[in-house]
Amino acid sequence: KGTVERMNTEKDKNYREVRHPSVAPYYVIALSWIIFAMLCPMYKIGHFIVIILISAAEFVILRKLIPAKVERIPLPYEAPHSGVEDVDRMIETGAEYIRKFDKIGAELQKLDPALASKLADIRSTMSTLFEYVSKNPDKLPRVRRFMNYYLPTLEKLMNTYIELSNQKIKGENIKKTLTGIEEILDVIKPAFENQLNSLYEDQAIDISSDITVLETMLEKEGLSDAANKEPTP
């Protein structure tokens, strides 16, 4: 659980933000100049100074009232390498899905930010999983089903969601399908996290075994505190 939580706090590093200020202040300023020109002859320097000050005030106020739109652009994902041909080929296949999900996520952000956030969580889990497998190539068989079924199925579901969401007329069947995809994503997200945690669980068991063996050897050789402790009379 700790691994997944730490991973999720770093997911925003996979994106860069581009701010798009609203153009509304410029339209308001242009309209102000037109109205001012209709009311004042605009042949004195003072008139221009007044409208310039008004425009500056409008610009500052409207910029604060109308926040800029923030576009999250995914950074190109670079797959980790293990040095093992079969493993690297499989990881690159998974990396291609991550790149697809990044594009899908940008579309989802416009339709449903909450759903886009869930997909971003899954994407981050995938990235961490591939990092782990690249360092532990022997774990590749554990993720083959994950790679061969879950990823293409998730891609299909997300593309279907975007396609149906963009339909102008949404009948009962479309609404039902959209709801079903939203609900299944709540099931898929923890499933991906459990897949990752299961790999770390194997590592924890291995480390625990190593610790037990080491403690036993130290006791047998009389090097541990327990072995050197005098028995209580």
Side-chain angles (χ1 to χ4, degrees):
K1 182 179 179 181
T3 301
V4 173
E5 289 177 349
R6 183 170 61 254
M7 170 199 65
N8 287 340
T9 61
E10 298 177 354
K11 66 181 178 181
D12 288 337
K13 294 180 180 179
N14 301 320
Y15 298 84
R16 66 183 178 89
E17 292 187 348
V18 178
R19 300 178 66 83
H20 300 285
S22 172
V23 297
Y26 300 101
Y27 288 111
V28 172
I29 290 171
L31 182 61
S32 296
W33 277 72
I34 294 173
I35 295 174
F36 193 85
M38 293 172 63
L39 298 176
C40 298
M42 296 287 288
Y43 59 83
K44 293 183 178 181
I45 297 296
H47 294 157
F48 284 95
I49 293 176
V50 170
I51 188 60
I52 288 173
L53 292 175
I54 293 174
S55 299
E58 288 175 335
F59 185 82
V60 172
I61 293 172
L62 290 173
R63 272 295 175 87
K64 291 182 178 180
L65 293 177
I66 308 175
K69 292 183 178 180
V70 179
E71 181 183 6
R72 298 175 77 238
I73 300 177
L75 299 174
Y77 177 72
E78 296 183 6
H81 297 284
S82 67
V84 180
E85 185 177 354
D86 290 346
V87 175
D88 288 342
R89 190 185 305 115
M90 182 65 75
I91 290 176
E92 180 56 36
T93 299
E96 189 57 35
Y97 278 105
I98 284 185
R99 298 179 191 113
K100 291 178 181 178
F101 291 148
D102 286 340
K103 294 179 181 179
I104 291 172
E107 291 294 320
L108 279 178
Q109 188 67 32
K110 304 172 186 176
L111 300 170
D112 189 333
L115 205 63
S117 179
K118 293 176 184 178
L119 183 62
D121 288 339
I122 293 173
R123 186 258 196 220
S124 187
T125 303
M126 290 168 56
S127 175
T128 305
L129 190 149
F130 296 148
E131 288 284 350
Y132 183 88
V133 173
S134 70
K135 296 174 183 177
N136 302 271
D138 59 304
K139 302 297 183 182
L140 180 62
R142 294 284 302 274
V143 298
R144 283 192 185 276
R145 181 177 178 84
F146 168 84
M147 298 281 290
N148 295 332
Y149 178 74
Y150 292 109
L151 297 188
T153 301
L154 179 59
E155 180 193 6
K156 178 182 178 182
L157 290 175
M158 292 297 95
N159 283 328
T160 300
Y161 188 90
I162 292 173
E163 179 184 353
L164 296 181
S165 294
N166 287 325
Q167 295 292 327
K168 293 182 179 179
I169 301 177
K170 296 181 178 65
E172 191 63 31
N173 288 333
I174 290 180
K175 291 180 181 179
K176 184 177 180 181
T177 301
L178 291 174
T179 300
I181 294 175
E182 292 169 359
E183 291 175 350
I184 197 62
L185 207 64
D186 288 329
V187 177
I188 293 176
K189 181 176 176 290
F192 276 58
E193 294 170 354
N194 290 336
Q195 174 71 59
L196 175 63
N197 279 330
S198 69
L199 297 179
Y200 279 96
E201 183 180 8
D202 291 344
Q203 185 180 33
I205 293 174
D206 292 341
I207 293 298
S208 178
S209 298
D210 290 340
I211 291 174
T212 300
V213 171
L214 182 59
E215 288 176 341
T216 301
M217 292 178 63
L218 290 173
E219 288 183 11
K220 285 183 177 180
E221 296 179 10
L223 299 176
S224 68
D225 289 340
N228 293 325
K229 187 180 295 184
E230 295 182 2
T232 303

